[in-house]
Amino acid sequence: GDVQTLTLNATGGSLDFNPIGVVLLMGYGSGDTSVTMVGSVAAINSALASLSFTPTANISGSGAAQLRVQTDDGRGLTDNRTLNFVITASNDAPVITTGSVPAVVEDQANVNLGGLFSLADVDGDNQAVTLDVVGGTVSLDASGITLSSGTSSNTSHLVFSGSISAINSALNTLIFNPSADLSGLGAGQLTLTSNDGKGGQHSQTASLDINPQNDAPRISGTSPSTIAAGAAYSFTPVTVDPDLGDV
Protein backbone atom coordinates (compact mmCIF):
# COMPACT_ATOMS: atom_id res chain seq x y z
CA GLY A 1 0.00 0.00 0.00
CA ASP A 2 2.94 2.37 -0.53
CA VAL A 3 2.26 5.83 -1.87
CA GLN A 4 3.29 5.83 -5.52
CA THR A 5 4.77 8.38 -7.88
CA LEU A 6 3.52 7.71 -11.40
CA THR A 7 4.91 9.36 -14.54
CA LEU A 8 3.25 9.24 -17.95
CA ASN A 9 4.94 10.39 -21.17
CA ALA A 10 3.02 10.40 -24.44
CA THR A 11 4.31 10.91 -27.97
CA GLY A 12 2.11 11.32 -31.01
CA GLY A 13 -0.84 12.52 -28.98
CA SER A 14 -2.12 13.88 -25.66
CA LEU A 15 -3.67 12.54 -22.45
CA ASP A 16 -6.84 13.38 -20.56
CA PHE A 17 -7.85 11.97 -17.18
CA ASN A 18 -9.66 12.75 -13.92
CA PRO A 19 -7.04 13.81 -11.33
CA ILE A 20 -9.34 13.67 -8.30
CA GLY A 21 -7.62 11.91 -5.39
CA VAL A 22 -4.04 12.37 -6.62
CA VAL A 23 -1.54 15.21 -6.36
CA LEU A 24 -0.25 16.46 -9.72
CA LEU A 25 3.39 17.46 -9.82
CA MET A 26 3.26 17.88 -13.59
CA GLY A 27 0.32 18.13 -15.96
CA TYR A 28 -3.26 19.30 -15.62
CA GLY A 29 -5.40 16.31 -16.52
CA SER A 30 -6.28 17.73 -19.94
CA GLY A 31 -4.23 17.82 -23.15
CA ASP A 32 -1.07 16.63 -21.38
CA THR A 33 1.93 14.93 -22.97
CA SER A 34 3.83 14.56 -19.65
CA VAL A 35 2.22 13.84 -16.27
CA THR A 36 3.60 13.13 -12.82
CA MET A 37 1.12 12.24 -10.06
CA VAL A 38 1.45 11.10 -6.45
CA GLY A 39 -1.14 9.12 -4.55
CA SER A 40 -2.26 5.82 -3.14
CA VAL A 41 -2.46 2.78 -5.36
CA ALA A 42 -6.25 3.03 -5.33
CA ALA A 43 -6.26 6.74 -6.21
CA ILE A 44 -3.75 6.28 -9.03
CA ASN A 45 -5.67 3.33 -10.44
CA SER A 46 -8.83 5.46 -10.35
CA ALA A 47 -7.06 8.20 -12.33
CA LEU A 48 -5.72 5.64 -14.80
CA ALA A 49 -9.21 4.19 -15.26
CA SER A 50 -10.32 7.57 -16.62
CA LEU A 51 -7.29 7.95 -18.91
CA SER A 52 -7.91 8.67 -22.59
CA PHE A 53 -5.47 9.27 -25.44
CA THR A 54 -6.07 11.57 -28.42
CA PRO A 55 -3.66 11.07 -31.33
CA THR A 56 -2.12 14.05 -33.06
CA ALA A 57 -4.12 15.08 -36.13
CA ASN A 58 -3.35 13.28 -39.39
CA ILE A 59 -0.78 10.80 -38.08
CA SER A 60 -1.08 7.07 -38.69
CA GLY A 61 0.97 3.89 -38.75
CA SER A 62 2.44 1.26 -36.47
CA GLY A 63 4.21 2.88 -33.54
CA ALA A 64 3.06 6.34 -34.60
CA ALA A 65 2.23 7.00 -30.94
CA GLN A 66 3.60 5.74 -27.65
CA LEU A 67 2.76 5.91 -23.96
CA ARG A 68 5.45 5.27 -21.35
CA VAL A 69 4.31 4.51 -17.79
CA GLN A 70 6.77 4.64 -14.89
CA THR A 71 6.06 4.09 -11.19
CA ASP A 72 8.20 4.57 -8.09
CA ASP A 73 7.20 3.42 -4.60
CA GLY A 74 9.64 5.79 -2.88
CA ARG A 75 11.62 2.88 -1.44
CA GLY A 76 13.93 2.29 -4.35
CA LEU A 77 11.67 0.01 -6.37
CA THR A 78 10.42 1.09 -9.80
CA ASP A 79 8.69 -0.33 -12.83
CA ASN A 80 7.98 0.95 -16.32
CA ARG A 81 6.07 -0.12 -19.38
CA THR A 82 5.86 1.31 -22.90
CA LEU A 83 2.72 0.95 -25.00
CA ASN A 84 2.98 1.29 -28.79
CA PHE A 85 -0.18 2.36 -30.58
CA VAL A 86 -1.11 1.31 -34.09
CA ILE A 87 -3.08 4.21 -35.57
CA THR A 88 -5.19 3.25 -38.56
CA ALA A 89 -5.39 5.90 -41.24
CA SER A 90 -8.76 7.44 -42.05
CA ASN A 91 -9.67 9.52 -45.05
CA ASP A 92 -9.48 13.30 -44.74
CA ALA A 93 -11.76 15.39 -46.92
CA PRO A 94 -10.25 17.92 -49.31
CA VAL A 95 -10.34 21.55 -48.27
CA ILE A 96 -11.03 24.47 -50.62
CA THR A 97 -10.09 27.96 -49.52
CA THR A 98 -10.95 31.22 -51.23
CA GLY A 99 -8.63 34.17 -51.70
CA SER A 100 -9.34 37.80 -52.45
CA VAL A 101 -12.20 38.52 -54.84
CA PRO A 102 -11.36 41.08 -57.54
CA ALA A 103 -13.55 44.04 -58.45
CA VAL A 104 -15.37 43.41 -61.72
CA VAL A 105 -16.83 46.02 -64.07
CA GLU A 106 -19.80 45.34 -66.33
CA ASP A 107 -18.68 43.89 -69.68
CA GLN A 108 -15.07 43.70 -68.48
CA ALA A 109 -13.12 41.14 -70.49
CA ASN A 110 -10.75 38.52 -69.13
CA VAL A 111 -10.97 39.10 -65.39
CA ASN A 112 -8.04 37.33 -63.72
CA LEU A 113 -9.28 34.96 -60.99
CA GLY A 114 -5.93 33.31 -60.31
CA GLY A 115 -5.71 32.71 -56.57
CA LEU A 116 -9.48 32.84 -56.04
CA PHE A 117 -9.55 29.11 -55.19
CA SER A 118 -6.91 26.91 -53.58
CA LEU A 119 -7.29 23.17 -53.00
CA ALA A 120 -5.57 20.99 -50.37
CA ASP A 121 -5.84 17.40 -49.14
CA VAL A 122 -3.59 16.19 -46.32
CA ASP A 123 -3.81 12.67 -47.79
CA GLY A 124 -2.53 13.91 -51.15
CA ASP A 125 -5.35 12.17 -53.03
CA ASN A 126 -6.06 12.98 -56.66
CA GLN A 127 -9.28 14.95 -57.00
CA ALA A 128 -12.32 15.14 -59.26
CA VAL A 129 -13.40 18.78 -59.49
CA THR A 130 -16.58 20.45 -60.73
CA LEU A 131 -16.72 24.17 -61.48
CA ASP A 132 -20.09 25.83 -62.08
CA VAL A 133 -20.43 29.47 -63.11
CA VAL A 134 -23.41 31.84 -62.93
CA GLY A 135 -23.39 35.18 -64.71
CA GLY A 136 -20.60 34.51 -67.14
CA THR A 137 -18.07 32.00 -68.42
CA VAL A 138 -14.57 30.94 -67.45
CA SER A 139 -11.44 29.73 -69.21
CA LEU A 140 -8.31 28.07 -67.86
CA ASP A 141 -5.14 26.30 -68.93
CA ALA A 142 -5.97 22.60 -68.89
CA SER A 143 -2.36 21.41 -69.13
CA GLY A 144 -1.81 18.66 -66.56
CA ILE A 145 -5.48 17.99 -65.79
CA THR A 146 -7.99 15.69 -67.48
CA LEU A 147 -11.24 17.23 -68.73
CA SER A 148 -14.31 15.00 -68.55
CA SER A 149 -17.04 17.57 -69.18
CA GLY A 150 -16.97 21.03 -70.72
CA THR A 151 -14.12 22.79 -72.45
CA SER A 152 -11.23 24.84 -71.17
CA SER A 153 -12.48 27.99 -72.91
CA ASN A 154 -15.61 30.12 -72.28
CA THR A 155 -17.62 27.54 -70.37
CA SER A 156 -20.07 27.76 -67.47
CA HIS A 157 -19.71 24.10 -66.41
CA LEU A 158 -16.45 22.21 -66.19
CA VAL A 159 -15.51 18.83 -64.72
CA PHE A 160 -11.87 17.78 -64.50
CA SER A 161 -9.48 15.66 -62.45
CA GLY A 162 -5.83 15.51 -61.52
CA SER A 163 -3.32 15.84 -58.73
CA ILE A 164 -3.58 18.61 -56.14
CA SER A 165 -0.65 20.50 -57.65
CA ALA A 166 -1.95 20.18 -61.22
CA ILE A 167 -5.43 21.36 -60.23
CA ASN A 168 -4.06 24.35 -58.31
CA SER A 169 -1.90 25.25 -61.30
CA ALA A 170 -4.98 25.19 -63.54
CA LEU A 171 -7.02 27.24 -61.04
CA ASN A 172 -4.26 29.87 -60.96
CA THR A 173 -4.92 30.51 -64.68
CA LEU A 174 -8.69 31.02 -64.22
CA ILE A 175 -10.20 33.82 -66.33
CA PHE A 176 -13.78 35.12 -66.00
CA ASN A 177 -15.89 36.93 -68.58
CA PRO A 178 -19.19 38.30 -67.26
CA SER A 179 -22.38 38.04 -69.29
CA ALA A 180 -23.10 41.08 -71.45
CA ASP A 181 -24.75 44.04 -69.68
CA LEU A 182 -24.86 42.15 -66.35
CA SER A 183 -24.26 44.03 -63.10
CA GLY A 184 -25.18 43.86 -59.45
CA LEU A 185 -24.05 42.54 -56.07
CA GLY A 186 -23.21 38.83 -56.36
CA ALA A 187 -24.25 38.87 -60.02
CA GLY A 188 -21.40 36.48 -60.78
CA GLN A 189 -20.88 33.26 -58.86
CA LEU A 190 -18.39 30.43 -59.10
CA THR A 191 -18.89 27.18 -57.18
CA LEU A 192 -16.01 24.74 -56.91
CA THR A 193 -16.60 21.21 -55.61
CA SER A 194 -13.80 18.71 -55.05
CA ASN A 195 -14.17 14.97 -54.41
CA ASP A 196 -11.27 12.73 -53.38
CA GLY A 197 -12.97 9.51 -54.50
CA LYS A 198 -12.86 8.11 -50.97
CA GLY A 199 -15.94 9.77 -49.53
CA GLY A 200 -14.40 13.15 -48.87
CA GLN A 201 -15.91 16.21 -50.55
CA HIS A 202 -15.88 19.97 -50.08
CA SER A 203 -17.50 22.92 -51.87
CA GLN A 204 -16.89 26.65 -51.85
CA THR A 205 -18.77 29.44 -53.61
CA ALA A 206 -17.24 32.80 -54.48
CA SER A 207 -19.55 35.70 -55.32
CA LEU A 208 -18.46 38.47 -57.66
CA ASP A 209 -19.92 41.96 -57.43
CA ILE A 210 -20.17 43.41 -60.94
CA ASN A 211 -20.17 47.19 -60.98
CA PRO A 212 -22.37 48.83 -63.64
CA GLN A 213 -21.06 51.13 -66.34
CA ASN A 214 -22.96 53.32 -68.79
CA ASP A 215 -24.08 51.64 -72.01
CA ALA A 216 -24.77 53.62 -75.14
CA PRO A 217 -28.34 53.49 -76.48
CA ARG A 218 -28.89 51.42 -79.61
CA ILE A 219 -31.13 52.14 -82.57
CA SER A 220 -32.43 49.19 -84.51
CA GLY A 221 -34.93 48.48 -87.21
CA THR A 222 -34.77 47.85 -90.93
CA SER A 223 -35.88 50.60 -93.27
CA PRO A 224 -37.55 49.70 -96.56
CA SER A 225 -35.01 49.35 -99.33
CA THR A 226 -37.53 50.18 -102.04
CA ILE A 227 -40.83 52.05 -102.19
CA ALA A 228 -43.40 52.46 -104.93
CA ALA A 229 -43.37 55.72 -106.82
CA GLY A 230 -45.68 58.20 -105.15
CA ALA A 231 -46.10 56.04 -102.03
CA ALA A 232 -45.50 57.50 -98.59
CA TYR A 233 -42.23 56.49 -96.97
CA SER A 234 -42.54 55.06 -93.49
CA PHE A 235 -39.85 53.85 -91.14
CA THR A 236 -40.10 53.56 -87.35
CA PRO A 237 -36.77 52.95 -85.63
CA VAL A 238 -36.56 51.16 -82.27
CA THR A 239 -34.37 52.65 -79.55
CA VAL A 240 -33.02 50.43 -76.79
CA ASP A 241 -30.89 51.45 -73.78
CA PRO A 242 -29.54 48.58 -71.68
CA ASP A 243 -29.38 50.96 -68.72
CA LEU A 244 -33.02 50.96 -67.69
CA GLY A 245 -34.10 54.33 -66.37
CA ASP A 246 -31.90 56.52 -68.56
CA VAL A 247 -33.85 59.41 -70.07
Side-chain angles (χ1 to χ4, degrees):
D2 294 333
V3 172
Q4 304 289 316
T5 299
L6 185 80
T7 300
L8 304 172
N9 289 292
T11 58
S14 61
L15 304 170
D16 295 279
F17 62 95
N18 186 343
I20 293 178
V22 299
V23 176
L24 293 179
L25 303 182
M26 180 183 294
Y28 302 94
S30 177
D32 297 320
T33 57
S34 294
V35 175
T36 300
M37 66 179 77
V38 177
S40 67
V41 171
I44 287 177
N45 281 334
S46 178
L48 290 175
S50 68
L51 188 67
S52 64
F53 175 78
T54 302
T56 303
N58 301 318
I59 69 167
S60 62
S62 178
Q66 290 184 336
L67 175 61
R68 187 181 183 190
V69 184
Q70 299 168 280
T71 187
D72 187 329
D73 68 1
R75 298 186 178 188
L77 296 179
T78 63
D79 194 12
N80 72 84
R81 294 285 188 273
T82 298
L83 305 176
N84 292 302
F85 296 106
V86 177
I87 301 178
T88 303
S90 62
N91 183 56
D92 293 276
V95 176
I96 302 169
T97 55
T98 56
S100 59
V101 179
V104 182
V105 177
E106 178 185 344
D107 297 327
Q108 181 179 350
N110 300 326
V111 180
N112 183 2
L113 296 184
L116 179 62
F117 292 112
S118 180
L119 176 62
D121 188 325
V122 296
D123 299 322
D125 297 325
N126 287 353
Q127 305 287 314
V129 174
T130 301
L131 178 60
D132 288 302
V133 183
V134 174
T137 60
V138 293
S139 303
L140 52 72
D141 183 351
S143 301
I145 59 175
T146 301
L147 298 177
S148 55
S149 179
T151 66
S152 61
S153 179
N154 297 319
T155 184
S156 60
H157 176 74
L158 188 60
V159 180
F160 56 93
S161 58
S163 67
I164 295 290
S165 60
I167 289 172
N168 280 330
S169 293
L171 291 174
N172 280 333
T173 68
L174 198 62
I175 297 295
F176 174 73
N177 282 287
S179 301
D181 300 325
L182 179 68
S183 63
L185 297 178
Q189 285 191 339
L190 289 84
T191 299
L192 189 74
T193 301
S194 190
N195 190 307
D196 65 10
K198 298 179 180 178
Q201 180 171 298
H202 189 220
S203 294
Q204 281 279 29
T205 296
S207 295
L208 304 177
D209 295 337
I210 302 178
N211 299 314
Q213 67 173 355
N214 185 51
D215 293 279
R218 302 165 189 166
I219 299 175
S220 62
T222 303
S223 59
S225 58
T226 60
I227 58 173
Y233 177 83
S234 177
F235 168 59
T236 303
V238 177
T239 301
V240 176
D241 192 328
D243 301 318
L244 297 178
D246 285 353
V247 177

